[in-house]
Amino acid sequence: MPPIRVEVIRNGIAEAVHLVHAVALDERGETVATFGDAHLLTYWRSTAKPFQAIAVVATGAADAFGLTPKELAIACGSHAGSAEHVAIVRGMLAKGGLTETDLRNGTHEPFDAAERERLIREGLKPSRLHGNCSGKHAAMLLAAKHLGAPLDSYCEPTHPVQQLIAQGLMAATDDERLTATVIPDGCGAPIWASPLNRIALAFHRFVTGAFAFGAATKRLAEAMATHPEMVAGKGHWNTQLIAATQGQFVGKGGAEGLFAGAFRDGRAIAIKVQDGNHRATPVATLALLRHLGWLPDSALNELADFAQPPVKTLDGRIVGHLRVVISHRG
């Protein structure tokens, strides 16, 4: 089928169109639907975080340092930098005798409005703990500490922790060429590229455990399902999607319009907005799940605000909406 179209409609006129490539797999990991290019090669970006968290579990670091399910969930997430998120990541580091100075993930303003306003009010600058990747980086540091590996170079592709993560991704995707695509992500940690259908396959295996690192990923999937507020943040569509399915679906979004996830029975999806625009990601994802008949009515009702978001003026007046077109003809 052709790509899914997400149209931005204002006064009946489509003023922008986002093309979305997508693939869906059944409980056995077999392809049941494709839209656009299922083999599109794209970087994982933050969609890889649940797989990057493999290292802290598979090395034994999670047990050695007593990480809780909530801490494992934030290791898989792109958190909002709320006061709670910052406290959890700080606590993870403290369990390994580490501090935020050990982090290499860079700094940006927190996405959480309350924490952002607090920093402004108190004349403070964001710390590395506020960075949405700090949970992932804290987990990488704990894995390095447990292995007795260097801490200051934990983001290098040749570091034992990153080598283990690459092995996990290769095993999940059956793609031995993956390591040739390595490049630093925005947070400085290595990231890799895979075809879209292999990303869907990886999430199928993430929830079913049907690969070499399956014991670790099933534990991580359970953590994400139990604590969706750690995967993104309160009110974020990624968190709301997991919550609306009562943890039966776990997924993770990434930069440049990528999203992938799976139901706990193995049904999996991966979508990529061709132009990388984030506004099309939740709309296309929910439209795909609705088209497949995979979301119950109760979840669709809870997620209605994300399925067809309005276009508004600065003073809040609705002047348009986003519309999805899924064609059955090539």
Side-chain angles (χ1 to χ4, degrees):
M1 297 183 190
I4 297 169
R5 291 166 59 91
V6 177
E7 301 175 343
V8 182
I9 306 297
R10 190 190 299 262
N11 195 26
I13 297 171
E15 65 173 346
V17 176
H18 307 292
L19 299 181
V20 182
H21 304 273
V23 61
L25 311 181
D26 64 14
E27 295 91 339
R28 299 170 299 169
E30 300 292 333
T31 302
V32 292
T34 62
F35 301 87
D37 185 2
H39 300 277
L40 179 70
L41 184 66
T42 189
Y43 275 97
W44 280 76
R45 305 302 299 274
S46 286
T47 301
K49 285 180 178 176
F51 293 88
Q52 289 170 307
I54 285 174
V56 77
V57 178
T59 58
D63 290 329
F65 294 113
L67 295 190
T68 66
K70 185 175 284 191
E71 290 168 332
L72 290 177
I74 206 169
C76 297
S78 295
H79 67 75
S82 69
E84 181 185 15
H85 291 148
V86 168
I88 289 169
V89 177
R90 183 182 287 115
M92 291 172 67
L93 292 169
K95 288 181 176 182
L98 305 166
T99 69
E100 70 177 88
T101 60
D102 295 299
L103 293 170
R104 298 288 183 268
N105 57 276
T107 304
H108 62 73
E109 289 187 348
F111 301 141
D112 181 77
E115 181 67 1
R116 190 166 60 248
E117 291 168 5
R118 182 189 72 82
L119 294 177
I120 294 171
R121 187 171 59 250
E122 297 180 11
L124 301 174
K125 292 182 178 181
S127 73
R128 291 181 179 180
L129 292 169
H130 289 102
N132 75 93
C133 296
S134 65
K136 173 183 80 175
H137 280 253
M140 290 176 176
L141 277 165
L142 290 173
K145 182 74 177 283
H146 186 64
L147 291 174
L151 299 181
D152 58 354
S153 60
Y154 75 90
C155 284
E156 294 299 319
T158 54
H159 191 278
V161 169
Q162 302 303 336
Q163 290 286 294
L164 178 59
I165 292 168
Q167 289 173 22
L169 277 173
M170 283 191 291
T173 58
D174 288 335
D175 185 6
E176 294 183 356
R177 300 168 299 175
L178 179 140
T179 54
T181 66
V182 68
I183 195 78
D185 202 347
C187 66
I191 200 60
W192 300 266
S194 293
L196 195 61
N197 59 347
R198 298 298 183 97
I199 294 175
L201 175 63
F203 272 88
H204 163 78
R205 291 173 170 172
F206 183 82
V207 296
T208 62
F211 77 123
F213 294 88
T217 59
K218 289 188 75 173
R219 181 174 173 184
L220 293 166
E222 181 62 29
M224 294 172 70
T226 306
H227 298 285
E229 75 283 0
M230 296 295 112
V231 178
K234 294 178 180 177
H236 191 283
W237 80 273
N238 194 158
T239 286
Q240 294 301 104
L241 175 55
I242 298 172
T245 64
Q246 298 181 328
Q248 289 306 301
F249 178 91
V250 293
K252 183 70 186 70
E256 305 298 347
L258 182 66
F259 182 84
F263 288 87
R264 306 294 286 280
D265 63 11
R267 289 172 294 160
I269 62 166
I271 76 119
K272 166 66 177 176
V273 182
Q274 185 168 302
D275 64 10
N277 196 310
H278 282 294
R279 67 179 169 181
T281 311
V283 180
T285 300
L286 294 176
L288 174 62
L289 291 172
R290 183 173 60 246
H291 175 80
L292 295 167
W294 288 359
L295 277 182
D297 289 342
S298 59
L300 288 171
N301 290 336
E302 286 187 47
L303 298 165
D305 290 343
F306 301 107
Q308 194 180 60
V311 176
K312 296 182 179 181
T313 64
L314 293 177
D315 61 4
R317 187 157 53 101
I318 296 176
V319 294
H321 62 277
L322 271 66
R323 179 176 69 191
V324 180
V325 178
I326 298 181
S327 174
H328 294 274
R329 294 180 291 111

